[in-house]
Amino acid sequence: MKKLQAVFILMGIFAVLLLSACGTEGVPGAKNWDVESFAFTNQDGNTISKHDLKGNVWIADFMFTSCQDVCLPMTANMVKLQQMLKEKGIRNVEFVSFSVDPKTDKPAVLKEFGQRFKADFESWNFLTGYKQSQIESFAKDSFHTIVQKPENMDQVMHGINFYLIDQKGKVIQYYNGVKGTPFDDIVKHIKILQDSN
C-alpha cells in the first residue's frame, strides 16, 4: 500500500513539473492563425511576400498615411519597439505595416510617412499595391480584424493592434498598439520565438 502511495505521489510531482515546464515554453495564449500568402509592394516599389519574411519573427499592423487619429501613435510606438530591439541587440525581426488605404498610399507616400517617423526601412516594409477589397478580406481572414472604408469618406476603420508573427507565418499574439503598449512583453515573446526556433 505504501509503495502504491509513493507511486501516486511521484506521478503527482511529475505532473506538476510537466505542467510548469509547459508554462515556460511558447508564448502564452498563442493564437496560431495562419497568415495567407501575399505579395505586395513596399515603399521602394519592391515586391515583398510572405515567403520573403519566412524564417524571421515579424511585427505587423494596419495603418494609413492620412489617418487623423490612431495611426500616428501606433507608428510612433512601432518606431519605439524597433529602437528597443536594436538597443537590446535583438536581430532578425521584421516590421510590416499594411496600408488600409491603398488608393491613396502609393509607395512614395508611404516612404515619406515612414521617414517622418524615422522608421528604419532596413527592417520595416510599408505595404500597398492591392485593391481595397483585398486588404479588407486579408485583414479579416489572416488577422481576424476589421478594415472597412465607408463610401464617400477619406478615413478608414481598422484595428489598433500590433501582431506578433512567428518564423512560419502564424499570428502568435496581438497587443494594443495605441495605449499601454506592452513593450516588455512583446520583446519577451519575440525572444521566446527566436529561442525556440
Side-chain angles (χ1 to χ4, degrees):
M1 190 70 178
K2 286 183 179 178
K3 282 186 179 179
L4 194 59
Q5 283 180 327
V7 168
F8 280 122
I9 289 168
L10 285 172
M11 285 175 66
I13 291 169
F14 179 75
V16 170
L17 288 172
L18 187 64
L19 286 171
S20 63
C22 288
T24 61
E25 292 178 10
V27 175
K31 308 305 175 191
N32 294 309
W33 303 333
D34 278 313
V35 176
E36 64 186 51
S37 294
F38 64 84
F40 300 147
T41 306
N42 77 355
Q43 68 278 354
D44 293 316
N46 299 322
T47 299
I48 300 296
S49 69
K50 179 184 174 183
H51 181 76
D52 294 324
L53 300 166
K54 189 176 180 182
N56 287 328
V57 173
W58 44 294
I59 303 289
D61 73 345
F62 293 87
M63 48 65 67
F64 63 111
T65 60
S66 60
C67 179
Q68 296 172 0
D69 43 40
V70 295
C71 302
L72 305 180
M74 283 177 72
T75 305
N77 283 335
M78 283 279 258
V79 169
K80 182 177 177 179
L81 179 59
Q82 189 180 45
Q83 191 59 41
M84 280 180 71
L85 294 175
K86 281 184 192 176
E87 290 169 0
K88 292 176 182 292
I90 300 171
R91 301 180 178 182
N92 301 320
V93 179
E94 298 290 327
F95 289 78
V96 179
S97 291
F98 297 98
S99 170
V100 296
D101 189 12
K103 190 173 181 180
T104 300
D105 289 342
K106 304 304 181 186
V109 176
L110 288 171
K111 187 154 192 175
E112 189 278 330
F113 181 81
Q115 288 171 334
R116 203 188 326 157
F117 283 89
K118 296 182 169 58
D120 183 353
F121 295 127
E122 284 293 316
S123 60
W124 193 340
N125 288 287
F126 289 80
L127 299 182
T128 187
Y130 33 76
K131 294 179 181 177
Q132 188 66 37
S133 59
Q134 282 180 288
I135 192 61
E136 291 180 6
S137 61
F138 177 73
K140 180 183 176 184
D141 296 342
S142 294
F143 293 87
H144 300 205
T145 190
I146 187 170
V147 169
Q148 190 172 24
K149 186 173 186 180
E151 287 186 32
N152 304 317
M153 288 185 67
D154 62 353
Q155 295 297 290
V156 184
M157 293 187 295
H158 64 93
I160 58 170
N161 290 323
F162 290 170
Y163 296 88
L164 174 65
I165 297 96
D166 72 6
Q167 296 91 331
K168 296 178 181 177
K170 288 180 179 288
V171 175
I172 300 300
Q173 195 50 272
Y174 59 87
Y175 321 85
N176 189 310
V178 177
K179 290 184 179 179
T181 304
F183 295 102
D184 290 338
D185 284 344
I186 298 173
V187 171
K188 180 181 174 183
H189 295 165
I190 288 171
K191 286 182 178 178
I192 290 172
L193 292 180
Q194 290 186 333
D195 291 344
S196 66
N197 194 31

